[in-house]
Amino acid sequence: MITDKAAAESLAELGNIHRLAIYRYLVKAGHSGALVGDIQKALNIPASTLSHHLARMGRVGLIHQVKKSRTIVCSPDYQHLQELIHFLQAECCAGDSKDQAD
């Protein structure tokens, strides 16, 4: 289960337009992930800037980075994503007076 602090940190990282674009690209790439070079080309982000964004996303658990030979493959941590979504939906409609009246 994700904590309030972890959810806030993850959402803060996704609050940056470049990190959000990177994350959406990785989710689209699927479980096999994407090479850092491919992310860079697709999103036109300078290498040093991309590295910074990936490191920040990795620190809060949004992505995994695996070094394979001379390349790095990034993929979303789908378990973390599911926990974050569940956290956001956990008390959905709990304060809705119509639901409480039934």
Side-chain angles (χ1 to χ4, degrees), residues 12-85:
E13 293 305 329
L14 292 175
N16 175 281
I17 193 164
H18 297 292
R19 288 190 287 275
L20 182 59
I22 293 164
Y23 196 71
R24 292 186 71 203
Y25 181 87
L26 291 173
V27 168
K28 186 177 179 179
H31 290 279
S32 59
L35 298 172
V36 171
D38 292 344
I39 300 168
Q40 181 185 5
K41 288 176 192 169
L43 301 178
N44 197 27
I45 299 174
S48 61
T49 303
L50 179 59
S51 177
H52 166 76
H53 289 311
L54 292 172
R56 290 183 64 127
M57 293 167 62
R59 275 195 291 275
V60 297
L62 288 167
I63 66 167
H64 296 290
Q65 295 182 61
V66 177
K67 188 169 183 163
K68 294 185 177 181
S69 186
R70 297 183 334 175
T71 61
I72 298 174
V73 177
C74 299
S75 60
D77 182 329
Y78 286 103
Q79 178 66 36
H80 186 82
L81 175 59
Q82 288 301 319
E83 289 175 5
L84 187 57
I85 291 168

